[in-house]
């Protein structure tokens, strides 16, 4: 007597292997994208160009340039606000690009802890 396997029995392993390969490819693409983002520099200006801030994709502040006219000893608060605003804006740029690139790779799949 010959034993019969359920219909489609051998395909589940093929499907699982295919899913694993797709997940590995997605992980490789995400790692590559993260490295590209880390190597990239992001720059923003605030206050009509009197403050310029450059940061890398791994959130390291590279430069902070102040035009002389923004330095007023009588109005330190404005300078502080401009610097905070600029740093927050350049961080938003990094976060937005990171999120966009990861969503592009994952097809919008939300995988907790992935990025």
């Amino acid at each position: 007597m010959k034993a019969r396997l359920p219909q489609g029995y051998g395909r589940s392993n093929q499907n699982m292997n295919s899913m694993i390969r797709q997940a590995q490819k997605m992980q490789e693409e995400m790692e590559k994208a993260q490295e590209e983002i880390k190597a990239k520099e992001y720059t923003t200006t605030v206050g009509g160009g009197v403050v310029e801030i450059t940061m890398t994709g791994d959130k390291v502040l590279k430069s902070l340039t102040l035009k002389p006219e923004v330095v007023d000893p009588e109005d330190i608060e404005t300078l502080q606000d401009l610097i905070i605003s600029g740093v927050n804006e350049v961080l938003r740029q990094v976060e937005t690009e990171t999120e966009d690139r990861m969503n592009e790779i994952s097809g919008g799949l939300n995988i907790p802890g992935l990025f």
Side-chain angles (χ1 to χ4, degrees):
M1 184 181 237
K2 197 173 188 183
R4 288 189 166 173
L5 296 174
Q7 186 176 8
Y9 179 76
R11 284 184 280 191
S12 65
N13 283 342
Q14 291 173 344
N15 289 341
M16 182 62 77
N17 289 338
S18 175
M19 285 176 45
I20 290 170
R21 279 193 302 274
Q22 287 176 338
Q24 288 170 336
K25 182 181 177 197
M26 185 186 306
Q27 181 180 7
E28 289 169 5
E29 289 175 4
M30 286 183 168
E31 287 172 0
K32 181 181 176 197
Q34 286 172 335
E35 289 303 314
E36 290 171 358
I37 290 168
K38 285 181 181 181
K40 189 174 174 181
E41 290 188 356
Y42 301 81
T43 301
T44 192
T45 59
V46 292
V50 294
V51 175
E52 180 180 275
I53 296 170
T54 301
M55 182 176 285
T56 63
D58 57 350
K59 302 174 188 165
V60 173
L61 189 61
K62 293 285 285 191
S63 71
L64 171 64
T65 305
L66 305 174
K67 296 236 173 130
E69 61 266 24
V70 77
V71 182
D72 179 359
E74 302 296 319
D75 190 13
I76 296 297
E77 289 89 18
T78 298
L79 178 56
Q80 291 169 337
D81 289 344
L82 287 171
I83 292 170
I84 290 169
S85 173
V87 169
N88 287 334
E89 176 56 32
V90 79
L91 283 170
R92 267 191 293 281
Q93 289 177 9
V94 173
E95 292 297 324
T96 298
E97 180 161 350
T98 301
E99 186 176 318
D100 290 347
R101 294 280 304 271
M102 295 304 126
N103 283 336
E104 183 180 298
I105 293 168
S106 70
L109 186 65
N110 187 10
I111 303 171
L114 194 58
F115 57 91

